[in-house]
Amino acid sequence: MERKSFIVRRKWETAEDICGLELVPEDGAALDDFEPGAHVEFFLERGGLPPLVRHYSLCNAPGERDVYVFGVKKETGSRGGSLHIHSLGEGSRVSLGAIRNHFPLSNEATSHLLLAGGIGITPLLAMMQALDRDGQLYHLHYFVRGSEHVAFRERLELARQRGSLFVHAGLDPMQTRRVLQELLQNASGGAHAYCCGPGVFMDSVEEIASSSWPLERLHFERFQADASAQ
């Protein structure tokens, strides 16, 4: 599998335990095109330890093609992937593999309901920015443990100004379910729903939506960490 070397051009803390990364090709070559919802393989070499493969969603806005933008959460109980990425500094090298998209926006949707749980905001950011550009109807609901966990505030600002962003901070599980039940009780017209976040969050969305949303109009992004980069 082809891998390309990238350089960390910028790294910053975008929320508590979440770093933002801007990566550019080491050879200065043009970046591959991609659509909202796409993710990239990271091949992490860790100095004598087994290599790891991790998948992270692109957060880019439309037309932002000089850099790849990612958000990575430092996971509790990490097997080394997120810890390694958080240890990188500006100027560090990272090997990236293929860009894939199993989570595209529907071309047939008349409106879009974006449901993000925590770090699941990353692919939905790219969707939100594309929908803004195209003037399409959407609402983004972002569930976080507290306001300090809201990532990429600068990218969310346009949606906030347009009244399309709803941040749900500090809700307990029952409160979260009640909000989801209200949001998912009616799949009106050609609305499509997209969900990314922790497994428990996505399971709740899938369960609640099962009685009201046609399966073909319900989309999930789930990642499974690979044990090695074989």
Side-chain angles (χ1 to χ4, degrees), residues 113 115 141 143 168 171 173-187 201 203-213:
L113 175 62
L115 302 173
H141 290 263
F143 295 79
H168 308 278
L171 303 186
M174 289 305 298
Q175 290 171 323
T176 298
R177 283 189 65 87
R178 283 196 290 270
V179 173
L180 292 174
Q181 286 166 347
E182 182 177 346
L183 295 173
L184 294 164
Q185 65 184 345
N186 181 21
F201 177 77
D203 289 345
S204 294
V205 170
E206 188 169 24
E207 174 199 341
I208 293 167
S210 62
S211 61
S212 56
W213 284 73

